[in-house]
Amino acid sequence: ATNGERTCTKPLPSPSPLRNAKFFGANMRILVTGGAGFIGSHLVDRLMENEKNEVIVADNYFTGSKDNLKKWIGHPRFELIRHDVTEPLLVEVDQIFHLACPASPIFYKHNPIKTMKTNMIGTMNMLGLAKRVGARILLTSTSEVYGDPLIHPQVESYWGNVNPNGVRSCYDEGKRVAETLMFDYHRQHGVEIRIARVFNTYGPRMNIDDGRVVSNFIAQAIWHEPLTVQSPGTQTRSFCYVSDMVDGLIRLMQGDNTGPINIGNPGEFTMLQLAENVKEVINPKVEIKMVENTPDDPRQRKPDISKAKELLGWEPKVKLRDGLPLMEEDFRTRLGVPRN
Ligand code: NAD
Ligand code: UDP
Ligand code: UDP
């Protein structure tokens, strides 16, 4: 066979014969749910660079867009499917990176019941798929499973401090349920699982109206609008550049550890410090304005990444001050506002 398809009539190996029908030259078929989104599209870029990989993206375009994947549309090793993960999906793959879920608070709060369905039913469907075809599945869980954490920095063994019925719960509790499902399919059905606890990530291709703090500040600095620091401004976050994140996710998928493993940058900043950094790097004349916060906002967040260092040999390389200008450049291009 020249096209990579099986022609022999011998009994096909379990679990799924169709997994062998790969594009010529490729030996790994990878599904990325949420692959049209911010982290997903950068992950797809990295996976597509390897000629041994065939990549299928399933995305409903709620917060993602085809634009993020335009350089791969039409490529013989790439397929893009408009699909909502709350519906069953039949494909034959070796690995599943399961990212589908809105990540920005304004979007996951927009339709909280749908967010919960995406996390529960969507994750169950992807696990059912992984079980049927014998694929390894990685879930992008979140630092939000720690809620408003009572220990600092957060280690994976910490069970968290999460409000079960607040406005953020659809996301926090949704991801906690998703983690539970992952481990239950692993223990009960032997599915090979990987869980990444992703901390705040930033970089090119974030939606400009995404509502998250780094994208807000950069757009505001470019437009000469005041940087909106939500009170008290002393709350902290740790920001990981997207190329480091993608690196961590791929290492986790390839390694032998189920996780959960924190993937994030331990550099911790208050929101006021972040605003000062954006001001210095992008627009020294811009003002900083205090505005009201939203309910249940975690007061501090910083990953303990000892496990990622030890088990994956991973640690982030890009510092905030180096990542911000890369994101600024992308925002300026998309907004059509050149630096002068
Ligand atoms: P994003 O919103 O840019 O991407 C999510 C993608 O999933 C989008 O393309 C969206 O259209 C798609 N999607 C949403 N619901 C879907 C559904 N029901 N069916 C199919 N597709 C669906 O977000 P992101 O920042 O790229 O986040 C990716 C993953 O990483 C998410 O699982 C998120 O929870 C997790 N995460 C991200 C961060 C972060 O700081 N960016 C932090 C923690 C966890
Ligand atoms: N599923 C899917 N694709 C598959 C196999 C299963 O989307 O290739 C879905 C299936 O529709 C079900 C879910 O995954 O809703 C869980 O599957 P599982 O086999 O664990 O459960 P069951 O079908 O027995 O309820
Ligand atoms: N925040 C802010 N200004 C904004 C948007 C967010 O000060 O314009 C703060 C918000 O109160 C929170 C932090 O930035 O403390 C991170 O918020 P984001 O929505 O980016 O992500 P989260 O970590 O809450 O999911």
Side-chain angles (χ1 to χ4, degrees):
T2 52
N3 60 358
E5 305 225 6
R6 287 176 66 88
T7 49
C8 77
T9 51
K10 273 198 291 193
L12 289 156
S14 60
S16 174
L18 292 170
R19 281 166 64 204
N20 289 334
K22 296 200 173 77
F23 184 75
F24 180 69
N27 60 8
M28 178 73 79
R29 190 181 296 143
I30 304 171
L31 170 66
V32 181
T33 76
F38 160 53
I39 300 177
S41 63
H42 286 278
L43 174 65
V44 168
D45 288 351
R46 192 75 67 83
L47 295 172
M48 284 295 293
E49 278 164 19
N50 183 340
E51 286 179 7
K52 295 288 176 198
N53 293 336
E54 222 184 298
V55 176
I56 302 176
V57 165
D59 201 297
N60 71 353
Y61 308 125
F62 175 43
T63 52
S65 97
K66 285 184 200 170
D67 215 39
N68 289 335
L69 296 167
K70 60 175 182 276
K71 74 170 165 200
W72 302 119
I73 291 171
H75 192 289
R77 287 185 287 108
F78 181 75
E79 270 174 85
L80 178 57
I81 312 171
R82 177 188 290 266
H83 177 79
D84 192 307
V85 292
T86 59
E87 298 294 333
L89 176 65
L90 291 181
V91 289
E92 283 42 62
V93 294
D94 305 285
Q95 292 183 342
I96 304 167
F97 284 90
H98 177 41
L99 278 66
C101 178
S104 165
I106 56 170
F107 288 98
Y108 70 65
K109 290 175 187 172
H110 168 74
N111 184 347
I113 297 171
K114 176 69 193 221
T115 301
M116 192 46 114
K117 285 183 184 168
T118 294
N119 278 311
M120 284 170 53
I121 304 170
T123 304
M124 193 163 341
N125 283 335
M126 291 310 102
L127 282 161
L129 170 62
K131 182 183 85 173
R132 181 176 65 83
V133 301
R136 181 179 293 181
I137 175 168
L138 178 149
L139 169 74
T140 47
S141 181
T142 168
S143 52
E144 293 270 326
V145 299
Y146 301 121
D148 189 7
L150 303 178
I151 69 154
H152 196 73
Q154 290 78 56
V155 284
E156 291 86 349
S157 53
Y158 178 50
W159 288 356
N161 177 36
V162 177
N163 178 351
N165 51 31
V167 292
R168 292 178 88 104
S169 309
C170 58
Y171 185 74
D172 307 4
E173 294 287 29
K175 289 286 187 178
R176 288 168 69 97
V177 167
E179 286 199 15
T180 308
L181 282 167
M182 292 282 285
F183 269 96
D184 285 339
Y185 270 77
H186 174 60
R187 286 184 289 248
Q188 197 172 329
H189 295 305
V191 171
E192 277 191 56
I193 59 158
R194 303 288 181 265
I195 298 179
R197 290 202 177 135
V198 173
F199 281 65
N200 296 58
T201 304
Y202 71 101
R205 294 192 198 143
M206 281 185 94
N207 285 319
I208 288 167
D209 60 355
D210 183 271
R212 278 180 281 183
V213 68
V214 184
S215 42
N216 275 5
F217 286 1
I218 290 187
Q220 288 161 344
I222 291 174
W223 281 321
H224 305 277
E225 284 173 4
L227 310 184
T228 52
V229 173
Q230 295 177 349
S231 61
T234 49
Q235 71 273 32
T236 67
R237 292 293 188 278
S238 303
F239 300 99
C240 185
Y241 192 69
V242 66
S243 57
D244 284 331
M245 178 56 55
V246 164
D247 217 47
L249 296 178
I250 290 178
R251 277 173 193 251
L252 176 60
M253 178 62 108
Q254 287 171 347
D256 296 326
N257 294 279
T258 59
I261 295 190
N262 291 337
I263 310 277
N265 191 319
E268 187 185 11
F269 297 84
T270 68
M271 293 311 103
L272 276 166
Q273 287 169 336
L274 175 68
E276 289 297 344
N277 273 284
V278 169
K279 192 173 157 153
E280 278 169 42
V281 173
I282 300 177
N283 182 354
K285 288 196 214 120
V286 82
E287 282 170 39
I288 293 177
K289 175 171 104 182
M290 296 300 295
V291 298
E292 205 181 320
N293 205 337
T294 53
D296 291 342
D297 185 41
R299 276 162 295 183
Q300 51 182 4
R301 194 182 284 155
K302 168 188 162 113
D304 180 316
I305 59 162
S306 325
K307 230 175 138 178
K309 278 187 184 159
E310 183 194 333
L311 299 174
L312 309 178
W314 176 88
E315 64 181 313
K317 298 191 180 86
V318 183
K319 289 195 214 72
L320 185 65
R321 296 285 286 224
D322 299 329
L324 289 176
L326 300 172
M327 191 165 162
E328 178 195 358
E329 202 181 299
D330 168 66
F331 268 44
R332 284 194 184 279
T333 308
R334 284 194 283 155
L335 291 167
V337 186
R339 200 176 232 289
N340 44 32

